[in-house]
Amino acid sequence: MALIRIEPKLDASSGLYCVEIFHPAEAEQPFVTTEPRYKTAAAAENDVIAIIASRANSAKA
């Protein structure tokens, strides 16, 4: 069962993508929405994954 859902969303006014993060995964409204700053949906998703991985690797036990 997924805990979060990550969806890139195109901002029509800027032509750039933002990321919506839903928690719990089944939520209808996003928990967090980034500013539209990504040129592609893939770039948006990859950046979120990189941020999560970076934080997980630097977390103190």
Side-chain angles (χ1 to χ4, degrees):
M1 171 188 275
L3 299 177
I4 64 171
R5 184 174 87 235
I6 300 169
E7 294 185 9
K9 182 177 178 184
L10 180 62
D11 178 60
S13 63
S14 67
L16 298 172
Y17 285 85
C18 66
V19 173
E20 295 181 334
I21 301 174
F22 297 81
H23 177 69
E26 307 82 28
E28 292 184 25
Q29 299 295 320
F31 179 68
V32 174
T33 302
T34 67
E35 293 293 321
R37 60 179 171 232
Y38 304 100
K39 292 183 180 183
T40 66
E45 290 177 345
N46 287 338
D47 192 42
V48 170
I49 292 167
I51 291 167
I52 292 170
S54 172
R55 298 284 193 254
N57 286 331
S58 65
K60 295 181 180 180

